[in-house]
Amino acid sequence: SNRVSITIRDIIAASQGRPLLQHGYKCMSCCRIFPTLWSVKTHIQHSSQEGYSCKVYYHKLKVLLEKEHKAQEAKGPWV
């Protein structure tokens, strides 16, 4: 199977460089705000049932970040 699993680490990586909210976490796809990381992850997993495509967004983002990471590793360590 070629299924990609979205983790809490992926959600945090997607929001890097963005100011953290004081009262929750923002889904970077639909911009909704949730009180906990767990609630964002649950939202992402069930987003299609709510009419959103957040799961697709995070899957694509994870694949792109992994490709970028592999490309950086292939370049070798910085000296």
Side-chain angles (χ1 to χ4, degrees):
S1 172
N2 197 12
R3 300 183 95 182
V4 177
S5 177
I6 303 301
T7 65
I8 296 295
R9 178 175 279 168
D10 300 320
I11 296 167
I12 292 170
S15 65
Q16 280 184 337
R18 312 254 184 342
L20 293 176
L21 302 171
Q22 292 180 357
H23 301 291
Y25 298 88
K26 184 178 186 180
C27 173
M28 299 311 294
S29 177
C30 68
C31 298
R32 290 176 59 194
I33 298 175
F34 298 88
T36 65
L37 281 171
W38 178 255
S39 60
V40 175
K41 184 175 181 185
T42 301
H43 158 72
I44 292 167
Q45 295 301 326
H46 302 287
S47 62
S48 62
Q49 296 169 356
E50 300 173 20
Y52 295 97
S53 59
C54 304
K55 189 173 185 177
V56 173
Y57 170 86
Y58 278 94
H59 279 253
K60 296 278 186 191
L61 182 62
K62 182 172 183 168
V63 169
L64 288 172
L65 291 173
E66 287 175 353
K67 284 182 182 178
E68 184 178 295
H69 180 72
K70 287 179 183 177
Q72 289 294 332
E73 285 181 341
K75 288 182 181 179
W78 293 94
V79 179

